[in-house]
Amino acid sequence: MTVNIEKIKNRILATTATNRNPLYDSHIYWSQKPYNICDILIEELSDVGDVVFDPFMGTGVTLLESIKKDYGRVGIGCEINEAPIFIIKTLL
C-alpha cells in the first residue's frame, strides 16, 4: 500500500470534523472522536480485510467505523475503563 500523506492531509483539512450522527448522539463521553475524520484515516491507511487496532478505544469510534460493512475491516480495540466498554457493547 502506498500512502500519500499530502492527500490525507488535504482530505482532513477539507472536512468539518463532527461526532454528531444518530449512532454517536446516543451517548455523551468525554473522549469521543470525530467519526468522519476516523473514516478518512481508515479509508486511506488500511485496505479491505485489514485489521484496525485501537489500543485506547474510548467510546469506540475507530472500532465501530472500521467494522462498517462498506469498509470491510476487522476492528479490535482494548480499554481499561468499564464505562466505554459498556457503551460499545450496547451499540454493537
Side-chain angles (χ1 to χ4, degrees):
M1 164 186 262
T2 303
V3 176
N4 182 337
I5 297 298
E6 197 63 32
K7 176 185 171 194
I8 297 169
K9 178 182 164 185
N10 290 335
R11 279 191 70 192
I12 290 172
L13 289 172
T15 302
T16 301
T18 184
N19 61 359
R20 307 290 20 124
N21 76 13
L23 178 63
Y24 301 116
D25 284 343
S26 66
H27 65 88
I28 296 175
Y29 189 78
W30 66 272
S31 70
Q32 194 170 5
K33 305 298 182 275
Y35 76 92
N36 57 345
I37 300 298
C38 287
D39 288 346
I40 292 169
L41 295 173
I42 292 165
E43 290 171 6
E44 296 289 345
L45 299 174
S46 67
D47 292 318
V48 173
D50 281 355
V51 173
V52 176
F53 176 63
D54 187 353
F56 306 101
M57 193 168 54
T59 57
V61 171
T62 303
L63 174 69
L64 294 168
E65 292 301 306
S66 69
I67 64 173
K68 284 181 173 178
K69 279 198 256 183
D70 50 331
Y71 287 140
R73 275 52 164 193
V74 175
I76 299 175
C78 57
E79 176 61 55
I80 61 170
N81 186 340
E82 293 294 324
I85 292 172
F86 173 79
I87 291 169
I88 295 162
K89 284 182 177 181
T90 302
L91 292 174
L92 288 172

